[in-house]
Amino acid sequence: MAEIVLDHITKRYADGTVAVDDFDVRIADHEFVILVGPSGCGKSTTLNMIAGLEDITEGELRVDGRRMNEKAPRDRDMAMVFQSYALYPHMTVRENIAFPLKLAKMGREETQERVERAAGLLDLAPYLDRKPAALSGGQRQRVAMGRAIVRDPKAFLMDEPLSNLDAKLRVQMRTSISRLQKSLGTTTVYVTHDQTEAMTLGDRIVIMRAGLIQQIGPPQELYDHPRNLFVAGFIGSPSMNVVPARLEEGLLRTPIGDIPLRGRLGRAAEGPDVPRDVIAGIRPESFEDASLVHDAEEGGTFTGTVDLLESMGPEKLAYFTLDTGAVRSEHLSEAGGEEAGEECRLVAQLDPKSGARRGQPVRLWYDTQAVHLFHPKTGENLTER
């Protein structure tokens, strides 16, 4: 097991392109850290620098206090699990898992013991004598993980290991990976572009954008207290609703109603650097069917016509189109939000008892103190300053 320190790491290519810029993170021994962000943000490059597959331009990588910048990958004692299973088709599961031990010239008895232990952890014992072609996608990925486990490395480095699996298998494998990491206690760095994986797996999440760290913290902290508009738009499914808003005469004027500037909203609106035109954000779960709220006076209300209704079992998702243009922001478009020029849409997560119907108006209540305010240019969350 190992503590991994990335001390102001930068990766710059020969043509001047900066893939990772001043990446500064300390990963504790036994910790499960997720690197997440859109394609091209630098997360896989960062993982490759830890593994030794990419050179470090600036900064220092330390593992248990030892500098690793010049160490070859084989000397870093880290095991990688890739998106592709990379199994040898002519070998059995047993032989595939044992292959790194064979290269290390480990004795037959210890090799067999390690292989069987790994197979037991991964529920692969019944398949040890099968070839990869006779396995499902999830089983093949577990074999790839088994090949990493038998090495008993200081750290696991996982680069989007579940992206080739279907949705149901991804859920199953997320559970397996989480349980396995807690059981082994091995320091793990995991790369994904899927924020659901990040929220359900990691002890901490590092959110990246264009080579830069946007925010680091436990999943719930990032969800509840996003530092900027990019993080707010990237974390959460459905993502945060954002609407244009204006600070005026002690009110936050929005398409869903005027909100008094009290408490955290009032504090956020103070200061000479706060513009009058801002972006307001509110999570879908901060809405409810007003007929089901006992004290609706404690929040705001608005009435909208339901464009689409999704009954999810424990909840309903109601979609609305607001009478205003969509928020235009590069922070949102990079996070996967609405494209500029589209109508402003809103999604509300409602109790399954709600009587909301598609094509019919419904009165909604929303928690005014759950609203976030963002600077329209910098994307800074004004309510988290």
Side-chain angles (χ1 to χ4, degrees), residues 75-366:
D75 298 325
R76 300 192 183 196
D77 194 17
M78 297 181 184
M80 286 199 75
V81 179
F82 296 96
Q83 176 179 344
S84 60
Y85 315 129
L87 303 180
Y88 296 103
H90 63 284
M91 293 183 181
T92 64
V93 169
R94 186 189 306 276
E95 291 167 336
N96 267 284
I97 294 176
F99 189 72
L101 305 182
K102 180 180 178 181
L103 291 179
K105 302 187 185 306
M106 182 174 288
R108 176 179 293 182
E109 190 172 313
E110 185 176 356
T111 295
Q112 181 176 335
E113 181 181 327
R114 287 197 182 196
V115 169
E116 290 179 354
R117 183 169 68 244
L121 286 169
L122 294 163
D123 297 324
L124 289 172
Y127 313 109
L128 283 173
D129 296 318
R130 292 189 186 181
K131 299 285 181 66
L135 304 177
S136 69
Q139 289 166 341
R140 292 180 195 178
Q141 192 56 275
R142 294 208 300 271
V143 175
M145 292 176 61
R147 192 168 50 194
I149 290 169
V150 288
R151 291 180 50 192
D152 193 20
K154 287 184 176 179
F156 292 137
L157 308 178
M158 300 188 181
D159 193 359
E160 304 205 42
L162 308 185
S163 58
N164 284 344
L165 305 179
D166 64 36
K168 186 174 182 180
L169 271 178
R170 282 202 300 271
V171 173
Q172 293 173 354
M173 284 300 298
R174 282 205 303 265
T175 303
S176 297
I177 290 174
S178 180
R179 185 175 63 243
L180 181 67
Q181 197 274 338
K182 300 306 178 191
S183 173
L184 297 173
T186 306
T187 307
T188 300
V189 186
Y190 186 108
V191 162
T192 182
H193 65 273
D194 185 336
Q195 61 91 23
T196 302
E197 278 184 29
M199 292 292 288
T200 54
L201 280 174
D203 297 322
R204 282 192 302 158
I205 299 174
V206 180
I207 300 182
M208 299 182 67
R209 175 193 179 195
L212 293 168
I213 294 175
Q214 298 298 299
Q215 192 169 352
I216 306 172
Q220 198 62 46
E221 178 183 311
L222 269 58
Y223 187 84
D224 292 336
H225 307 287
R227 182 177 296 168
N228 56 43
L229 191 56
F230 175 83
V231 175
F234 192 84
I235 293 294
S237 182
S239 59
M240 180 181 285
N241 297 294
V242 290
V243 297
R246 183 171 178 81
L247 301 170
E248 192 174 83
E249 299 177 354
L251 296 171
L252 176 67
R253 299 194 182 277
T254 79
I256 59 174
D258 293 344
I259 302 171
L261 291 173
R262 296 194 296 258
R264 59 194 285 276
L265 288 180
R267 292 189 293 272
E270 296 174 354
D273 60 332
V274 178
R276 295 303 89 190
D277 290 313
V278 295
I279 296 171
I282 184 168
R283 296 282 184 193
E285 65 271 19
S286 295
F287 291 88
E288 187 52 272
D289 187 322
S291 66
L292 302 177
V293 178
H294 297 299
D295 194 0
E297 298 301 320
E298 292 300 311
T301 59
F302 86 102
T303 299
T305 300
V306 180
D307 293 332
L308 177 67
L309 190 68
E310 296 178 346
S311 295
M312 311 295 288
E315 65 193 28
K316 288 181 178 179
L317 297 179
Y319 295 81
F320 303 84
T321 300
L322 302 181
D323 188 22
T324 184
V327 170
R328 301 187 180 195
S329 169
E330 63 181 80
H331 308 287
L332 284 176
S333 60
E334 288 186 35
E338 291 182 282
E339 294 295 329
E342 292 185 352
E343 297 173 307
C344 191
R345 295 189 175 93
L346 182 145
V347 56
Q349 182 177 310
L350 309 178
D351 190 287
K353 297 177 183 176
S354 169
R357 296 289 183 271
R358 181 177 179 178
Q360 298 297 316
V362 61
R363 184 166 171 264
L364 294 186
W365 172 92
Y366 59 95

Side-chain angles (χ1 to χ4, degrees), residues 8-54:
H8 298 281
I9 298 293
T10 293
K11 176 61 181 181
R12 185 181 298 106
Y13 291 104
D15 65 356
T17 301
V18 178
V20 179
D21 191 7
D22 197 30
F23 191 97
D24 191 38
V25 173
R26 181 183 297 271
I27 301 170
D29 190 16
H30 308 298
E31 192 174 18
F32 196 142
V33 168
I34 308 286
L35 308 183
V36 67
S39 297
C41 71
K43 54 190 184 295
S44 290
T45 303
T46 302
L47 195 75
N48 288 338
M49 286 192 287
I50 299 173
L53 303 178
E54 292 268 11

